[in-house]
Amino acid sequence: MSDIIVKPSILPGFMELTPADQILFNKMMDTIRKNYEKFGFLPIDTPVIEKSEVLLAKGGGETEKQVYRIESKSTDMSMRFDLTVPLARYVSQYYSKLEFPFRRYQIGKVYRGERNQKGRFREFYQCDIDIIGNGSLSIINDAEIPSLIYSTFKELGFDAFTIKINIRKMLKGFFESLNIEDSAEVLRVIDKLDKIGLEAVEKELVDLGLADDVIGSINRLVGIGGTNSQIIQSLKELNIDNELFNEGLEELSTVVKYIQLFEVPEENFKIALSIVRGLDYYTGTVYETFLDDYPSLGAICSGGRYEDLAAYYTKQKLPGVGMSIGLTRLFYQLREANIISATDSSLTKALIIPMNEYVEQSVEVANVLRKEEIHTQVYLESGKMGKKFNYADKLNIPYVIVVGEEEVKTGLYSFRDMKTGEQKSISIEDIISCLK
Amino acid sequence: MSDIIVKPSILPGFMELTPADQILFNKMMDTIRKNYEKFGFLPIDTPVIEKSEVLLAKGGGETEKQVYRIESKSTDMSMRFDLTVPLARYVSQYYSKLEFPFRRYQIGKVYRGERNQKGRFREFYQCDIDIIGNGSLSIINDAEIPSLIYSTFKELGFDAFTIKINIRKMLKGFFESLNIEDSAEVLRVIDKLDKIGLEAVEKELVDLGLADDVIGSINRLVGIGGTNSQIIQSLKELNIDNELFNEGLEELSTVVKYIQLFEVPEENFKIALSIVRGLDYYTGTVYETFLDDYPSLGAICSGGRYEDLAAYYTKQKLPGVGMSIGLTRLFYQLREANIISATDSSLTKALIIPMNEYVEQSVEVANVLRKEEIHTQVYLESGKMGKKFNYADKLNIPYVIVVGEEEVKTGLYSFRDMKTGEQKSISIEDIISCLK
């Protein structure tokens, strides 16, 4: 036994919750998982540590600087910084064992040595789904992803949210038609529209050296408004003679049509021509989802279509479409904004409090309830009744059953609803039906 | 796009599963979690990376050598090697916010740089429960743990398993009564009884320099057999005049009595006086669970009672009792021994296959089924019917629904049971009731 006491604390940038908050967090994670499974996605669970040469095959950039490397004399190992690179490696590695289209979900922690900042996490959960095709993948999959986003956020308790969609290749074709060479730079600027406004975007486009008429055309495009059908109509009426643009527009029409067929209400998805997503591997459809009443939270779920998942690991062409929910950040933001709160969260349905010598009979009651799959705890420690009731109260356990002489004699147990304070003497059968 | 292709592979010592195996693994994990929650345990989720000074407060030994450290110029960080040290830190850190007895479960990955060896993992899941008292903790908790072990393994599908229990302080008192000074060494030898047999144990005890009559006494103790009540009776009849021994024996009687009250069948738990558990922090009750028909698997679940959880982090005395299931190793062993197999595992209940132009109608059927919480996938790619049926077959999806002209006209869908091959034309309502 050491005399030195180490101060118990965790590193900055790591989220750790009290049990009540953890229950809430887990409920959200369970809801996400349940919805992913309902849509036919299969689970995988890749290692947190992988070979650095695999994880960093793409190399360079911010990612590499943020990666946590493991100290080792013999092997260069790193911690995963997302779930997409491991997916690419997984699909390449088990290619011959998998059935395509391969629908996988993965919910797990990823690691990034981010700068220490409020709301930024160095360890956080990502909840990813992807549909990977073998050589090709139907565009209808791009419409099913919003349907799953809708189903998930609905069940998470949200009503007012908008899934914004766009087709990246359509924009690219549009820029081609304007003879803009570095379309990536222009996309980067346009992506900021919602954040910095039209005027600032225009200024940045001028700084890029674009001519006035070109900027005018871009403005007209991103300024297109109306319902989804109206936007598609307006895009058609632009009569742009560019193959990529028209291919993208055709895809957009199909995706919108099928999103409707998948019964996503019109108010929950919206073509947004300025949404382009920063990640450069998206080529087609892109999604960003926002809570209408809390725009400052930013996108709470994002994704898109990519041409080729795993070019670093295999010569197989593997197009895909997917999306990710950053659950740790989402949970943190929702709690900070008081949209969710753990005051009611409990997993245990009933606390059994034995009076004096009635521990044995309390255990018997617990056996009966647990056989009925009712989450039950017996308070086994000694102490005053008030302390025991207080324990149930503090843990948000909704019901308390007292077991004492009277109860054992009559077979009627004191059953207290901790929220209303109401107490009655009822049989074990009645308790079971109350708790179920 | 790079030309260089990195071979897609993972590091040795890391388990990664195909989706079918992953489904099986997750089902086991869900069963464990469900049982933990049924007994009133609350979830926590501590960071995988912690300060090295916290994780290694105890220091020294094999543990420190096996720890994965993170490369960093500024902070000494390590990956957790178990869930007990993080629990100790957690309880100390949030002491004032927690309610005691604090029942927590944690299911998560831990990391050890083990020597590379078949069946040894460097990343593996531990599924831990612990009950932590504030200053004291009733001995009845020690009887509830076996009840939870029983409930869990029953639901995992096992019948023939034995939870072996012992009380470490009873043995310690016994050795005191024999004037053995280094009882830890003797315990270490006795622990090997099941593996190396009585004769080899006797030889090792001789090597420790114990006198013949002392060895004779030890042999008599560990040789005590019979039913649990008979063993307790025999222990009482030893009439040993040692306080610790008698305190331990009293505890053993209480624990056995309550294990029976918790309705663990007599054939599933057994006093085993040679079980002592290697970990030196156990002081009272110890448990090891074995599959009767597969003794070579070793203990599949272990735990015990400790006097003081968190002496390195707090001056609060925090006694506890708990147990852990090493799920990764257990899963690996069960699969290797063909006790479990993934041939039937699927999450998706129905695959909808559209004929020709009937994708829209297929999506509509999927909407209906998903609203009923039936896990459904639509096969959206083009291709021959045989290929699509084969897809369902390979993924173990039990039912296929074909949507074509005839189906849309009549409202009766071809519904095929993929196991029996039986196919019938039925309404969507009948499909729902078949699938539920």
Side-chain angles (χ1 to χ4, degrees):
Chain A
M1 198 72 30
S2 161
D3 284 333
I4 304 152
I5 288 182
V6 180
K7 186 173 177 277
S9 65
I10 57 171
L11 291 157
F14 289 75
M15 179 188 270
E16 186 170 74
L17 304 172
T18 59
D21 272 335
Q22 192 67 52
I23 290 169
L24 202 59
F25 186 92
N26 290 0
K27 271 186 192 159
M28 290 181 71
M29 193 150 71
D30 288 344
T31 300
I32 293 170
R33 177 182 162 191
K34 194 185 116 190
N35 277 278
Y36 288 2
E37 293 183 350
K38 190 161 74 183
F39 278 70
F41 288 81
L42 302 175
I44 71 168
D45 182 14
T46 64
V48 168
I49 303 175
E50 297 213 28
K51 294 174 187 173
S52 299
E53 60 163 19
V54 167
L55 285 187
L56 301 170
K58 194 180 176 188
E62 271 308 295
T63 308
E64 188 143 2
K65 271 184 252 165
Q66 293 186 340
V67 162
Y68 284 113
R69 281 186 132 91
I70 310 294
E71 276 184 13
S72 169
K73 278 170 200 143
S74 52
T75 319
D76 191 354
M77 301 178 279
S78 297
M79 294 176 81
R80 65 184 180 205
F81 51 87
D82 71 7
L83 300 177
T84 306
V85 173
L87 171 66
R89 192 265 310 147
Y90 185 96
V91 176
S92 309
Q93 186 171 344
Y94 307 107
Y95 175 76
S96 62
K97 288 185 181 172
L98 300 176
E99 302 305 316
F100 293 91
F102 177 52
R103 298 181 156 227
R104 88 84 178 79
Y105 77 85
Q106 182 165 10
I107 297 174
K109 287 175 171 181
V110 304
Y111 297 83
R112 291 184 199 172
E114 292 261 11
R115 204 160 55 83
N116 192 13
Q117 204 181 340
K118 198 169 153 33
R120 284 271 174 192
F121 295 98
R122 291 169 175 169
E123 174 186 70
F124 55 97
Y125 277 96
Q126 285 200 329
C127 311
D128 280 24
I129 47 160
D130 286 272
I131 309 170
I132 311 298
N134 190 5
S136 68
L137 185 71
S138 161
I139 184 76
I140 303 169
N141 291 287
D142 297 47
E144 197 177 14
I145 301 280
S147 160
L148 175 46
I149 295 174
Y150 174 74
S151 159
T152 304
F153 281 95
K154 259 315 237 199
E155 199 174 331
L156 283 172
F158 298 101
D159 286 310
F161 58 90
T162 304
I163 306 162
K164 296 192 177 175
I165 65 161
N166 196 9
I167 304 273
R168 210 154 144 153
K169 72 167 69 157
M170 190 177 70
L171 286 203
K172 210 176 162 209
F174 179 75
F175 296 144
E176 275 181 17
S177 78
L178 294 173
N179 294 312
I180 295 171
E181 274 175 31
D182 191 358
S183 65
E185 268 300 297
V186 180
L187 284 172
R188 199 183 48 73
V189 173
I190 289 176
D191 197 28
K192 295 196 259 181
L193 187 66
D194 277 355
K195 275 183 208 139
I196 65 175
L198 189 60
E199 219 165 306
V201 162
E202 237 174 274
K203 195 181 161 301
E204 289 204 23
L205 293 175
V206 171
D207 291 347
L208 286 178
L210 298 189
D212 281 357
D213 61 331
V214 170
I215 294 177
S217 297
I218 294 175
N219 278 347
R220 266 193 300 285
L221 182 85
V222 300
I224 290 175
T227 64
N228 290 315
S229 329
Q230 283 165 349
I231 292 173
I232 289 173
Q233 192 52 38
S234 302
L235 287 166
K236 281 181 183 158
E237 284 164 8
L238 290 176
N239 277 318
I240 288 166
D241 183 22
N242 175 284
E243 206 182 324
L244 202 57
F245 178 87
N246 287 303
E247 196 185 306
L249 180 50
E250 186 57 41
E251 286 185 9
L252 184 64
S253 309
T254 308
V255 170
V256 165
K257 176 183 145 193
Y258 275 94
I259 292 179
Q260 288 161 342
L261 275 167
F262 274 113
E263 294 182 351
V264 179
E266 198 72 12
E267 65 261 34
N268 290 107
F269 79 101
K270 178 96 187 130
I271 301 169
L273 297 168
S274 66
I275 294 282
V276 296
R277 300 280 305 131
L279 295 170
D280 56 10
Y281 77 107
Y282 290 122
T283 51
T285 320
V286 286
Y287 321 101
E288 288 200 338
T289 302
F290 297 86
L291 296 181
D292 299 346
D293 303 329
Y294 306 92
S296 64
L297 265 54
I300 57 172
C301 159
S302 315
R305 151 83 66 153
Y306 37 90
E307 280 307 293
D308 204 353
L309 174 71
Y312 294 101
Y313 313 113
T314 177
K315 294 194 187 299
Q316 307 292 343
K317 196 176 150 75
L318 302 168
V321 61
M323 67 93 173
S324 177
I325 301 172
L327 185 56
T328 300
R329 190 162 166 264
L330 176 61
F331 181 86
Y332 172 83
Q333 288 180 313
L334 293 175
R335 204 183 43 169
E336 287 285 297
N338 287 316
I339 304 169
I340 56 171
S341 123
T343 45
D344 265 352
S345 58
S346 163
L347 288 174
T348 306
K349 211 66 201 249
L351 179 72
I352 301 172
I353 299 182
M355 283 177 75
N356 310 316
E357 312 292 292
Y358 292 88
V359 178
E360 297 184 17
Q361 293 81 354
S362 298
V363 168
E364 283 162 9
V365 173
N367 291 337
V368 173
L369 298 186
R370 283 172 181 164
K371 262 180 217 147
E372 299 286 335
E373 301 298 332
I374 295 164
H375 296 188
T376 308
Q377 179 181 348
V378 187
Y379 194 98
L380 293 169
E381 311 309 305
S382 56
K384 291 187 176 154
M385 287 304 273
K387 188 183 163 191
K388 295 174 185 179
F389 273 99
N390 191 42
Y391 180 83
D393 215 32
K394 285 281 176 63
L395 290 179
N396 302 315
I397 298 173
Y399 297 97
V400 164
I401 300 160
V402 178
V403 178
E405 194 183 349
E406 196 57 30
E407 283 78 8
V408 171
K409 213 191 285 167
T410 60
L412 299 176
Y413 298 85
S414 307
F415 180 71
R416 182 187 285 196
D417 182 326
M418 292 300 285
K419 241 178 233 151
T420 64
E422 193 197 343
Q423 186 161 327
K424 47 190 176 186
S425 286
I426 54 175
S427 69
I428 191 86
E429 291 76 22
D430 287 343
I431 289 176
I432 290 169
S433 56
C434 279
L435 293 177
K436 274 197 147 177
Chain B
M1 198 74 28
S2 162
D3 284 333
I4 304 153
I5 288 182
V6 179
K7 187 172 175 279
S9 65
I10 56 170
L11 292 157
F14 288 74
M15 179 187 272
E16 185 169 75
L17 304 172
T18 59
D21 272 336
Q22 190 67 52
I23 290 169
L24 203 61
F25 186 93
N26 290 0
K27 271 186 191 158
M28 289 181 71
M29 193 150 72
D30 288 343
T31 300
I32 292 169
R33 177 182 161 191
K34 195 185 114 189
N35 277 277
Y36 288 2
E37 292 183 351
K38 190 160 74 181
F39 278 71
F41 288 82
L42 302 176
I44 70 168
D45 182 14
T46 64
V48 168
I49 303 175
E50 295 214 28
K51 293 174 188 173
S52 299
E53 61 163 19
V54 167
L55 286 186
L56 302 170
K58 194 180 176 187
E62 273 308 294
T63 308
E64 189 144 2
K65 271 184 254 167
Q66 293 187 339
V67 162
Y68 284 112
R69 280 187 132 92
I70 310 294
E71 278 183 13
S72 169
K73 278 171 199 141
S74 52
T75 319
D76 191 355
M77 301 178 279
S78 297
M79 294 176 80
R80 66 186 180 203
F81 51 86
D82 70 7
L83 300 177
T84 307
V85 173
L87 171 65
R89 192 265 310 146
Y90 185 97
V91 177
S92 310
Q93 186 172 343
Y94 307 107
Y95 174 77
S96 63
K97 288 184 181 174
L98 300 176
E99 302 306 315
F100 293 91
F102 176 53
R103 298 182 157 227
R104 89 84 178 80
Y105 78 86
Q106 183 166 9
I107 297 175
K109 287 175 170 181
V110 304
Y111 296 83
R112 291 184 198 171
E114 291 262 12
R115 205 159 54 84
N116 191 14
Q117 204 180 340
K118 198 168 158 9
R120 284 271 173 191
F121 294 98
R122 290 168 177 171
E123 173 185 71
F124 55 96
Y125 277 96
Q126 286 201 329
C127 311
D128 280 25
I129 48 161
D130 287 272
I131 309 170
I132 311 298
N134 190 5
S136 69
L137 185 71
S138 160
I139 185 76
I140 302 169
N141 291 287
D142 297 45
E144 198 177 14
I145 301 281
S147 160
L148 176 46
I149 295 174
Y150 173 74
S151 159
T152 304
F153 281 95
K154 260 314 234 199
E155 200 174 330
L156 284 172
F158 298 102
D159 285 312
F161 59 89
T162 304
I163 305 162
K164 296 192 177 175
I165 65 160
N166 195 9
I167 303 273
R168 211 156 144 151
K169 72 168 67 159
M170 189 178 71
L171 287 202
K172 209 176 166 212
F174 179 75
F175 297 144
E176 275 181 17
S177 78
L178 295 173
N179 294 312
I180 296 171
E181 276 176 28
D182 190 359
S183 65
E185 268 301 298
V186 180
L187 283 173
R188 200 184 47 75
V189 172
I190 288 175
D191 197 27
K192 295 196 260 181
L193 187 66
D194 276 355
K195 274 183 210 139
I196 64 176
L198 189 59
E199 219 163 305
V201 162
E202 236 174 272
K203 196 181 161 302
E204 289 205 25
L205 291 176
V206 170
D207 292 347
L208 286 179
L210 298 190
D212 281 356
D213 60 331
V214 170
I215 294 177
S217 297
I218 293 175
N219 278 347
R220 264 193 302 285
L221 182 85
V222 299
I224 290 174
T227 65
N228 290 315
S229 329
Q230 282 165 349
I231 293 172
I232 289 174
Q233 191 53 37
S234 302
L235 287 166
K236 281 183 182 157
E237 283 165 7
L238 290 176
N239 278 318
I240 288 166
D241 183 22
N242 175 286
E243 204 181 326
L244 203 56
F245 178 87
N246 287 305
E247 196 185 305
L249 180 51
E250 185 59 38
E251 286 185 9
L252 184 63
S253 310
T254 306
V255 171
V256 166
K257 175 182 146 193
Y258 274 94
I259 292 179
Q260 287 160 342
L261 274 167
F262 273 112
E263 295 182 350
V264 180
E266 198 73 13
E267 64 262 33
N268 290 105
F269 79 100
K270 179 93 188 133
I271 301 168
L273 297 168
S274 66
I275 294 282
V276 295
R277 301 279 303 132
L279 295 170
D280 56 9
Y281 76 106
Y282 290 122
T283 49
T285 319
V286 285
Y287 321 101
E288 289 200 339
T289 302
F290 298 87
L291 295 181
D292 298 347
D293 302 329
Y294 306 91
S296 64
L297 265 55
I300 57 171
C301 158
S302 315
R305 152 83 68 151
Y306 37 89
E307 280 307 294
D308 204 353
L309 174 71
Y312 295 100
Y313 312 112
T314 177
K315 293 194 188 301
Q316 307 292 343
K317 197 176 150 75
L318 302 168
V321 62
M323 68 92 172
S324 178
I325 300 173
L327 185 57
T328 301
R329 190 163 166 264
L330 176 62
F331 181 86
Y332 173 84
Q333 288 180 315
L334 293 175
R335 204 182 44 168
E336 286 286 297
N338 287 317
I339 303 169
I340 56 170
S341 124
T343 46
D344 265 352
S345 57
S346 163
L347 289 174
T348 307
K349 211 70 201 255
L351 179 72
I352 301 172
I353 298 182
M355 283 177 75
N356 310 314
E357 311 292 292
Y358 292 88
V359 177
E360 296 184 19
Q361 292 81 356
S362 297
V363 167
E364 283 162 10
V365 173
N367 291 336
V368 174
L369 298 186
R370 283 172 181 164
K371 262 180 218 146
E372 298 288 334
E373 301 298 331
I374 294 164
H375 296 188
T376 307
Q377 180 181 347
V378 187
Y379 195 97
L380 293 170
E381 310 310 305
S382 56
K384 292 187 177 151
M385 288 304 275
K387 188 184 163 191
K388 296 174 185 178
F389 273 100
N390 190 43
Y391 180 84
D393 215 33
K394 285 279 177 61
L395 291 179
N396 302 315
I397 298 173
Y399 297 97
V400 164
I401 301 160
V402 178
V403 178
E405 195 184 346
E406 195 58 29
E407 283 78 8
V408 171
K409 213 191 289 169
T410 61
L412 298 175
Y413 298 85
S414 306
F415 181 71
R416 182 187 285 195
D417 182 326
M418 293 298 287
K419 241 177 232 150
T420 63
E422 193 196 343
Q423 187 162 325
K424 46 190 176 183
S425 286
I426 54 175
S427 69
I428 190 87
E429 292 74 23
D430 287 344
I431 289 176
I432 290 169
S433 56
C434 278
L435 293 177
K436 273 196 146 176

